[in-house]
Amino acid sequence: MRYIEPHAHMVSRTTDDYRAMVAAGCEAVCEPAFWAGFDRGSAAAFHDYFRQLTEYEPRRAAQFGLKHFCWLCLNPKEAEDVKLAEEVLALIPQFLDRPTVLGIGEIGLNKNSRNELRVLEMHVDLAARHDQLILVHTPHLEDKRKGTRLTLDVLKADSRIRPERVIIDHVEEHTVRMVLDRGHWAGMTLYPVSKCTPARAIDILDVYGSERLWLNSACDWGESVPLVVVHTALEMRRRGWSQEAIERVIYDNPREFLSQSPKFCLREERKDTTEVRRLKCGPGPGF
Amino acid sequence: MTRQQVLDLYFLDARCKLIEVAAFLDRLDRAEGEADFRLPAFRDALRVLSSDRPDRALQALMAFSDPTTEPVPKAPGKGAVGAWQETQP
Ligand SMILES: [Zn+2]
């Protein structure tokens, strides 16, 4: 079944994962900038990483016929060092015009510290000045609820930010309502041990409805499951969801949010056996 | 879904997880030394499970969550441990 993987760290995954995702129906993958598992030593290391995300990884995905997009930032786990953050943020504008860059992300908080908050505000300002979409990471485990609240307050305090152009990711039962109530989109991350399981994510959809919600794997170098979005779709089917209702969550919703960037484009579905329609980019009429 | 369908789909899985939790608590009891702040948080969450409120998952998450509202002066490392400790180091 066709789907979009809106949050995956493919630099940490193998080509086998690309092949399996495409075989399962993935039509586009979006990769937010994140932590490497160790602190990068300098702004130059981020420059190289941004080149990897904007030059190399789209080519690797294209080998499997998969569209690859990315988001750029300094991730919250390295945001305690404000000087480094300033240097990295100064690098980002030169990449924003690249054809696969969708916006600023995944920004946010990790341990809810003052410096992290300062760097979050700097990223929000950068996104506002360059009219970019925003993808927000929310903290893990015991820090999530507080960090989500603090993040929402930063976004609300900046009058240039339009809530519908911001996705707050990794929501769970105790944070989803406050995110949706502020008019943002919310992402549910299906990740073993922490974040959501497929069953709980479907529960959240049952309770809150399918509007402004998407599913993602956030697969990375940790224990994670690149195909978990389609696994969840199978579970939705077992729970009696129609194909149309499933597709809304795993395909239409991410497409609607991401199409707010004119750069987001998908290969149109093969309409018959003889013709593959031309690529169609951006929101376009009738979407 | 009907209750019957939910039971058909999830009962064995939930039963398995419940017994894992029971065995975890037994294992803690058999072990030596002091527990830390994570165990009281876990017991608070367990109390939520036996209530009849409709938002037990949300309330269990709240039992582990930092209830404060001000940013901390400095990040105490990078990781999260799963439960909030009132006197953070
Ligand atoms: Zn991520």
Side-chain angles (χ1 to χ4, degrees):
Chain A
M1 70 188 85
R2 67 178 181 173
Y3 75 103
I4 293 166
E5 172 54 85
H7 188 145
H9 300 291
M10 299 308 293
V11 298
S12 309
R13 308 299 312 190
T14 64
T15 47
D16 287 350
D17 293 328
Y18 271 125
R19 182 181 289 113
M21 288 165 71
V22 172
C26 191
E27 293 199 1
V29 61
C30 307
E31 176 152 6
F34 87 139
W35 190 49
F38 64 96
D39 288 350
R40 295 176 177 92
S42 66
F46 282 87
H47 185 276
D48 290 346
Y49 178 45
F50 297 155
R51 283 193 54 216
Q52 184 183 16
L53 289 177
T54 56
E55 296 171 20
Y56 179 69
E57 212 56 40
R59 284 206 301 272
R60 202 160 77 102
Q63 287 180 301
F64 300 91
L66 185 63
K67 304 282 294 183
H68 179 284
F69 300 92
C70 69
W71 302 75
L72 302 179
C73 74
L74 173 135
N75 67 87
K77 280 198 172 67
E78 286 166 294
E80 194 61 23
D81 185 342
V82 177
K83 185 172 172 297
L84 175 69
E86 286 169 348
E87 291 171 16
V88 174
L89 264 75
L91 294 173
I92 291 175
Q94 66 186 280
F95 289 93
L96 290 178
D97 287 337
R98 294 201 172 185
T100 57
V101 177
L102 297 176
I104 302 299
E106 55 187 303
I107 60 173
L109 302 171
N110 181 49
K111 295 303 292 180
N112 302 325
S113 75
R114 287 183 193 144
N115 281 0
E116 289 171 10
L117 206 60
R118 172 79 196 106
V119 173
L120 170 62
E121 289 167 345
M122 288 158 51
H123 276 109
V124 170
D125 173 65
L126 178 71
R129 281 189 283 113
H130 293 271
D131 195 27
Q132 297 289 309
L133 295 175
I134 294 176
L135 189 152
V136 175
H137 159 99
T138 50
H140 303 281
L141 305 174
E142 70 270 23
D143 301 313
K144 182 178 297 292
R145 182 160 169 101
K146 175 179 175 177
T148 303
R149 280 181 179 281
L150 289 168
T151 300
L152 290 174
D153 288 346
V154 167
L155 292 164
K156 193 177 180 187
D158 194 322
S159 61
R160 298 168 297 175
I161 299 300
R162 285 155 49 199
E164 71 277 13
R165 288 173 58 81
V166 180
I167 174 112
I168 312 279
D169 220 329
H170 318 321
V171 300
E172 293 180 57
E173 289 87 343
H174 58 329
T175 56
V176 61
R177 183 186 289 280
M178 65 172 101
V179 169
L180 294 175
D181 282 352
R182 290 279 179 96
H184 301 299
W185 285 68
M188 290 185 286
T189 298
L190 307 152
Y191 203 85
V193 184
S194 65
K195 308 188 179 81
C196 269
T197 59
R200 283 172 52 213
I202 303 168
D203 292 338
I204 290 173
L205 291 165
D206 282 342
V207 172
Y208 294 95
S210 298
E211 198 173 324
R212 283 185 286 123
L213 277 158
W214 79 27
L215 300 173
N216 62 72
S217 73
C219 60
D220 55 14
W221 39 257
E223 225 177 281
S224 46
V225 184
L227 294 185
V228 73
V229 171
V230 271
H231 295 172
T232 305
L234 293 176
E235 185 150 341
M236 291 163 94
R237 199 182 278 172
R238 292 171 79 197
R239 284 171 64 155
W241 284 57
S242 70
Q243 190 54 38
E244 190 185 1
I246 294 170
E247 191 158 296
R248 177 171 181 199
V249 174
I250 66 172
Y251 189 81
D252 296 340
N253 277 2
R255 188 172 67 146
E256 183 181 341
F257 177 81
L258 296 165
S259 293
Q260 293 182 92
S261 164
K263 294 181 198 163
F264 185 76
C265 69
L266 284 169
R267 192 187 306 278
E268 266 208 322
E269 212 185 359
R270 188 186 284 264
K271 290 284 167 38
D272 58 51
T273 52
T274 57
E275 180 202 14
V276 178
R277 291 283 205 79
R278 282 185 299 111
L279 292 181
K280 181 185 167 198
C281 298
F287 172 64
Chain B
M1 281 200 294
T2 65
R3 290 211 170 89
Q4 205 62 55
Q5 286 170 325
V6 174
L7 285 165
D8 288 347
L9 200 51
Y10 290 112
F11 177 78
L12 280 177
D13 179 54
R15 177 186 183 278
C16 170
K17 287 170 179 158
L18 182 80
I19 293 168
E20 284 294 326
V21 170
F24 165 65
L25 293 170
D26 291 346
R27 203 175 304 136
L28 274 170
D29 281 351
R30 288 196 306 276
E32 292 176 357
E34 292 295 309
D36 63 27
F37 62 96
R38 290 172 290 183
L39 187 55
F42 199 89
R43 292 200 188 283
D44 284 347
L46 283 177
R47 274 190 283 280
V48 171
L49 301 199
S50 47
S51 75
D52 55 5
R53 25 186 333 149
D55 58 351
R56 280 169 287 228
L58 187 160
Q59 296 302 331
L61 284 161
M62 292 299 286
F64 295 112
S65 294
D66 180 350
T68 65
T69 55
E70 291 300 311
V72 297
K74 191 174 187 310
K78 294 191 199 296
V81 295
W84 179 66
Q85 185 175 22
E86 185 153 9
T87 49
Q88 299 270 2

